[in-house]
Amino acid sequence: MNTKKLMPYGFWPSVLTPERMVELTKVFDVQWDQRGHDVVIFEKREGQSRLLRINPNYGFPRDLISTNPVVVRVNYGGGEYTVGSDAVFFVSRGRIYRKPLDDGLAEAVTKGNFQPASPTLSPNEEWICFVYNNKEEDGLAVVPAHPGPHKPVLLLTGYDFFMQPTWHPTGQQLAVIAWNHPSMPWDSPYLLLLDVSTDSQSLRLTQVTVLQGPDQGILFQPEFSPDGRYLAYVGEVDDLTQLFLYDLQTHQTRQLTHQNGELAMPAWRQGVRTIGWHHDSQHIYYIVNVEGKMNVWRTDIHGQNQVCLTADLPFDVYRQIAVSPKDNQIAMRAVSTTQPERIIVLHDDIDTPWHVIRYTTSNEIPQCYYARAQRLRWGHESHVRYGLYYPPTHPQYEDQGPPPMVVLLHGGPTGQAFMMFCAQAQFLATRGFAVLLVNHRGSTGYGKAYRESLRHQWGIYDVEDSISGVEYCIQEGLARRDAIYIMGASAGGLTVYNALIHYPGVFRAGITLYGVANLWTFSNETHKFERHYQDFLIGPLPEATAAYNDRSPVLHADKIQDPVAIFQGSQDPVVPLSQTIDMIAALKSHHVPVFYRVFEGEGHGWHSPKTVAQFYHDLEDFLHDSLKSPTD
């Protein structure tokens, strides 16, 4: 018997209060120590970064770092730390620090005026190689691994960007991904093999070999086998990314997998991992993404005996795979659409399959309070588009008819919405909103052709696919036509603005978080990493001048009729505050109803607990006020 109470959509009392949104812990990475005894987890709780040490078989988490802010300021961050046998090396305040895994204070290893990322420890634990950024120069550098501080020695420059350095077990070679403007890391990267010579006092580069690139498409995460015979990496072939093996003795390359999914992730951050070697050097674990749902697989080095290890696990997405250097344990991030993220250890053993070693919430909220996402497809044949739909969900309340819906757009726009616990979507769904996460053309996870179809079409195809997703949901009875909202951050904010410009009246309101409003100033003022990104998205200048004008929302604010809520950080290095100030002024000059809030000290995303709580209070109030107002 149905005992739910009737209450209007959008006004259901939710267990996910703005204050509880602050409490959600964000986990970024997990790594084993070199002995294979413990794992070290990097997470952020209530705005503070933490490194935790946990023995996966027994014991409780122990904070290693609580006072030093663990943060990387190269591109979008990532690659915050690496773990040795008895110490963790982490990035903080523009330096690399060494902190013993047992008792002991953190001590600086490096000095200098540059930003480090992706520290990686040599096999003998004498050297650290890392990516650095010094204003307009990026490169690789090395520094002794014992406390200093030491002035780093430049190892390699000559490329605009570097990512994912890794050592050969002998310590005589390194592999690294590099690329140049105007490319992004998923466009035309190089896979480089570096020969180095070392002694007790110095390390120097002797030879650089280009193994792959720049015409092979994505090249991602090189990893040497523990015995030193092979170099595994992810490459692109036949529209999808697959696992490859380079034999360092025969110099032959073999494709190991032929999966109907993606093995690479868009490398917005340093330190992203989707593959890992078994300690026997005969097997490799890898993650496959099929339309936003992931599984962990194992293959041998001949590409035979490929087995899915996670088909029966209650999770939908796995990230940051970390394989024990001594046994069959695999640590990783795991999440489903109704379970907040956690760290699990998977045993490649049928007797003890898996267990959780770290939760990101108190687990006091039952899963029945959360919306279970479903994958949607709309269109037909070569015009299929993709998305995830979160229905309004509450164990105690319901309403009749189609619900109001928020269209939620991912950033990038080279990115993807996954089958995972989306806090923003759940915040909305638990209040009685349907949520559509659109994976428009240009999204990753659906092959190269789909990803590259956004070339020179940003501001057009992403908008069209959002509109067609809305129409599909309305036709299927999944959404109420007169109560559709559109919300996006960063690149998704540009889509919001352009949707309001070209489709007035479709949306009751738009919501942007640090959204791109002026393509001209964005191209000139953004950070080095994305300085030429628009050459692909819009077109090179001066040839694309008309497109820059046509798709810069601030130049067409007079066409916006629907209310807009705008949120912006005052210290955003990617989408500067000036963009939002100009957009607000343009909207006000044309009498468009606009709510805005600038969060002092915030950058490209919210970090302060106070900011997070205020944002969700504002969002809830804005939507409530909109739903109460009469429609035209």
Side-chain angles (χ1 to χ4, degrees), residues 156-235:
L156 180 64
T157 59
Y159 294 85
D160 288 327
F161 303 97
F162 294 86
M163 184 174 282
Q164 300 171 322
T166 184
W167 288 89
H168 188 274
T170 63
Q172 300 300 305
Q173 289 180 312
L174 289 134
V176 68
I177 301 296
W179 71 98
N180 291 317
H181 278 145
S183 297
M184 297 297 281
W186 47 84
D187 292 331
S188 301
Y190 297 80
L191 173 57
L192 306 179
L193 184 65
L194 283 55
D195 294 330
V196 298
S197 64
T198 63
D199 55 41
S200 60
Q201 301 297 322
S202 64
L203 184 149
R204 63 187 180 88
L205 178 67
T206 59
Q207 183 175 323
V208 178
T209 304
V210 178
L211 293 184
Q212 296 286 342
D215 302 319
Q216 279 83 12
I218 290 176
L219 297 166
F220 179 84
Q221 201 199 336
E223 293 286 346
F224 290 104
S225 59
D227 65 5
R229 172 70 184 269
Y230 303 103
L231 178 67
Y233 64 93
V234 177

Side-chain angles (χ1 to χ4, degrees), residues 35 38 85 99 177 184 189 202 230 351 371 381 469 534 555:
R35 301 167 299 175
D38 299 330
S85 298
K99 167 68 173 68
I177 301 296
M184 297 297 281
S202 64
Y230 303 103
D351 294 325
E381 297 178 355
Q534 290 178 190
L555 303 180

Side-chain angles (χ1 to χ4, degrees), residues 454 457-463 494-495 498 502 537-538 551:
L454 198 63
Q457 302 299 319
W458 186 34
I460 298 176
Y461 286 176
D462 48 319
V463 173
L494 181 128
T495 304
N498 279 319
H502 296 288
L537 295 172
I538 305 295
R551 300 180 219 164

Side-chain angles (χ1 to χ4, degrees), residues 338-350:
T338 59
Q339 298 179 87
E341 196 160 41
R342 56 210 58 195
I343 300 293
I344 69 167
V345 171
L346 173 67
H347 298 252
D348 195 0
D349 184 314
I350 60 173

Side-chain angles (χ1 to χ4, degrees), residues 289-294 373-377 386-389 419 446 472:
N289 168 20
V290 179
E291 295 187 11
K293 182 176 173 60
M294 298 179 183
Q374 52 190 279
R375 288 181 285 189
L376 296 185
R377 288 185 173 197
Y386 306 91
L388 304 176
Y389 179 81
M419 287 283 291
Y446 304 94
Y472 174 80

Side-chain angles (χ1 to χ4, degrees), residues 68-136:
N68 297 68
V70 181
V71 61
V72 168
R73 301 195 184 280
V74 177
N75 305 336
Y76 281 94
E80 290 88 356
Y81 71 107
T82 190
V83 191
S85 298
D86 58 3
V88 58
F89 299 82
F90 64 94
V91 177
S92 177
R93 300 188 179 97
R95 292 186 175 186
I96 297 174
Y97 287 80
R98 180 187 185 275
K99 167 68 173 68
L101 291 177
D102 293 319
D103 295 335
L105 297 175
E107 298 180 85
V109 172
T110 64
K111 63 179 179 180
N113 297 319
F114 56 84
Q115 293 293 335
S118 287
T120 179
L121 195 61
S122 64
N124 63 6
E125 304 195 20
E126 294 291 329
W127 298 93
I128 296 174
C129 178
F130 61 93
V131 174
Y132 76 87
N133 167 259
N134 184 12
K135 297 180 180 178
E136 289 300 300

